[in-house]
Amino acid sequence: MLLDVRNVAKSFAGADGPVPVLTGVDMALDLGQTLSLQGESGSGKSTLMHIVGALDTADSGEILFDGRDIAALDEGGRAALRRSEVGVIFQQFNLIPSLDVTENIRFQARLAGREDPAGVAHLIEVLGLGPHARKYPEQLSGGQQQRVAIARALAVRPRLILADEPTGNLDEATAADVLDEMLSLVAATGAALMVVTHSPAVAARMDRQLHLSGGRLA
């Protein structure tokens, strides 16, 4: 099993003491599988994604990635995991304004020591970014920026891809196109995919659908 989450709990400080967000979350995801995570706003979906992606830490529980407990890693170990094993597609894209499309896509792969010019060129072509390869983020539409964010995550060739509302900022037609492209590319790489979404249409495209409520998954 690539990802095995066991009894994970997380609270945040509130005015009257700790506020529980996750209370005993269990889930598993293997290579080649896709999973959607739904829930009301504030239910902890993004918090769980950040913990799984080594962007945050749990208060208790285990997050096993290929048998390694992420919680036991120091910051350097978590950073190495994020660089090479986990690709994150953020809702707000998080592109680097001073880099053009090609350089944004290459950036993470270069940090991971996995830069592959031919692979980057393939992603640019498949995602329809060829005419925009030398443009900067501010010159792109929302859909184009989302495609760049997807390409950047995939360029590292990660084994786990985490996508936080990957179509949340897009119109319906563009969202459908971007989702089609993302799922096709994920299937081609054999990576595992976890999508945080409010969209029933997006969730329905995944192999499994989980719902977060009261700090637990159903």
Side-chain angles (χ1 to χ4, degrees), residues 26-207:
D26 297 285
M27 60 168 284
L29 185 63
D30 210 352
L31 288 168
Q33 295 181 340
T34 61
L35 178 152
S36 67
L37 180 59
Q38 294 177 280
E40 300 298 324
S41 295
S43 63
K45 303 184 302 300
S46 294
T47 298
L48 179 58
M49 190 194 81
H50 288 167
I51 291 172
V52 167
L55 295 163
D56 197 358
T57 57
D59 295 336
S60 61
E62 293 181 306
I63 307 97
L64 302 179
F65 186 91
D66 199 17
R68 294 172 293 169
D69 187 359
I70 295 176
L73 298 175
D74 60 18
E75 181 51 42
R78 292 195 297 272
L81 186 76
R82 293 192 299 267
R83 279 197 304 268
S84 59
E85 302 290 349
V86 180
V88 182
I89 302 168
F90 296 97
Q91 183 177 3
Q92 299 300 328
F93 315 135
N94 284 8
L95 302 181
I96 301 173
S98 60
L99 299 182
D100 65 24
V101 164
T102 301
E103 289 301 314
N104 261 287
I105 295 171
R106 294 171 58 188
F107 181 78
Q108 193 70 26
R110 186 183 295 119
L111 288 180
R114 294 184 179 178
E115 188 172 6
D116 176 10
V120 170
H122 175 70
L123 287 168
I124 288 173
E125 178 182 357
V126 171
L127 288 165
L129 292 167
H132 313 290
R134 294 303 173 190
K135 292 182 180 178
Y136 291 87
E138 66 179 12
Q139 298 172 297
L140 303 175
S141 68
Q144 290 160 354
Q145 290 188 58
Q146 187 65 83
R147 288 178 168 90
V148 176
I150 290 169
R152 179 181 58 188
L154 292 171
V156 183
R157 302 191 301 277
R159 290 191 290 166
L160 173 64
I161 298 170
L162 305 173
D164 191 1
E165 296 286 359
T167 61
N169 293 318
L170 309 178
D171 62 77
E172 186 174 347
T174 302
D177 288 344
V178 167
L179 184 62
D180 286 344
E181 291 160 352
M182 182 173 70
L183 288 175
S184 177
L185 287 165
V186 167
T189 64
L193 171 67
M194 185 172 92
V195 175
V196 170
T197 182
H198 282 100
S199 168
V202 171
R205 299 286 302 276
M206 305 299 136
D207 298 331

